[in-house]
Amino acid sequence: QVQLVESGGGLVQAGGSLRLSCAASGRTFSSYAMGWFRQAPGKEREFVAGISSGGANTVYVDSVKGRFTISRDNAQNTVYLQMNSLNPEDAAVYYCAAGTVVVALERAYDYWGQGTQVTVSS
């Protein structure tokens, strides 16, 4: 069982940056692949980025490549999402999730956080 708690969301101007954190409970964090998803109002939840259990492999949706960076600190049971050059289309509730493989599919992730709101003003 893994419990996930996101933090770091907020209001930022277009072009600005935010770093999201996701703290995990449990001793098995390092065995899980981690993903970040987001859901904007009226839209389906979409995959944003994923990282393998050891951190060697990362995957991004095309719309955030070169702007967002996912990383993890297994000693601190935390995964991060550094978001730069934010634009209004990035505004959403961001969720972290834990699963067994790094894929862009919701059903591959077994545990989810409650989400953190990111708002980008133009």
Side-chain angles (χ1 to χ4, degrees), residues 6 35-39 45 93-97 112-116:
E6 302 95 337
W36 284 98
F37 290 75
R38 66 186 179 187
Q39 187 169 23
R45 188 155 58 184
V93 176
Y94 282 72
Y95 301 88
C96 69
W112 293 81
Q114 293 301 306
T116 186

Side-chain angles (χ1 to χ4, degrees), residues 47 66 81:
F47 173 82
L81 185 67

Side-chain angles (χ1 to χ4, degrees), residues 35-54:
W36 284 98
F37 290 75
R38 66 186 179 187
Q39 187 169 23
K43 295 186 177 181
E44 294 186 353
R45 188 155 58 184
E46 68 168 347
F47 173 82
V48 176
I51 188 167
S52 59
S53 58

